[in-house]
Amino acid sequence: MLEDERISIFRSILVGISALSPLGIFLFSNYDILSVDFPILVGLVIQAYIGFSSFMLVQSYEPKEKNKVTVGYIIFWSALGVCYLSGKSLILPIALEVTSFSTILIYSGTEFGKKQIESLGSLLLASGI
């Protein structure tokens, strides 16, 4: 039981780092945080909060494939942070595609029922459009 708790803490740290790293990169770059780039700062703070808290919620009830789900969340929140930081460059659509395909790993922990397939399909369709 203690080993499961340690692994769970390690997973949480990894997802926390992936959710907070874009914010750290933003804060230590040459962005104008208090004027033009303030909305990016707000978005990254909200992303870090939602990213970590949603993973903690999912981790509490996830019955199987915890490693795949953790890797999915790490990729998802890192790539979403890259979307914020990329601006209008070629990196933006690439990061969006990586974000959408990482959801396959996130959904791998649950049974693929009708609602999961519809949700995944709509996400992939929206990112393609």
Side-chain angles (χ1 to χ4, degrees), residues 1 4 12 16 30 33-34 39 46 49 52 55 59 66 73-74 81 83 85 89 91 94 105 110 117 128:
M1 184 69 180
D4 289 339
S12 300
N30 283 334
I33 295 172
L34 296 176
I46 292 171
Y49 175 74
F52 188 68
F55 176 73
Q59 188 178 9
K66 289 186 177 193
Y73 271 98
I74 290 170
C83 290
L85 300 175
S89 68
I91 297 172
I94 294 169
L105 292 173
T110 60
I117 292 172

Side-chain angles (χ1 to χ4, degrees), residues 7-8 10-16 18-19 51-78 98-112 116:
I7 292 172
S8 176
F10 181 68
R11 286 186 186 116
S12 300
I13 289 170
L14 288 177
V15 171
S18 72
F52 188 68
S53 59
S54 66
F55 176 73
M56 294 304 289
L57 175 69
V58 167
Q59 188 178 9
S60 67
Y61 68 80
E62 184 63 47
K64 59 180 182 174
E65 303 292 342
K66 289 186 177 193
N67 291 334
K68 277 187 184 178
V69 173
T70 301
V71 170
Y73 271 98
I74 290 170
I75 294 170
F76 183 81
W77 294 114
S78 298
V98 169
T99 300
S100 62
F101 283 110
S102 69
T103 58
I104 294 171
L105 292 173
I106 293 171
Y107 278 118
S108 70
T110 60
E111 297 293 325
F112 275 101
Q116 287 86 357

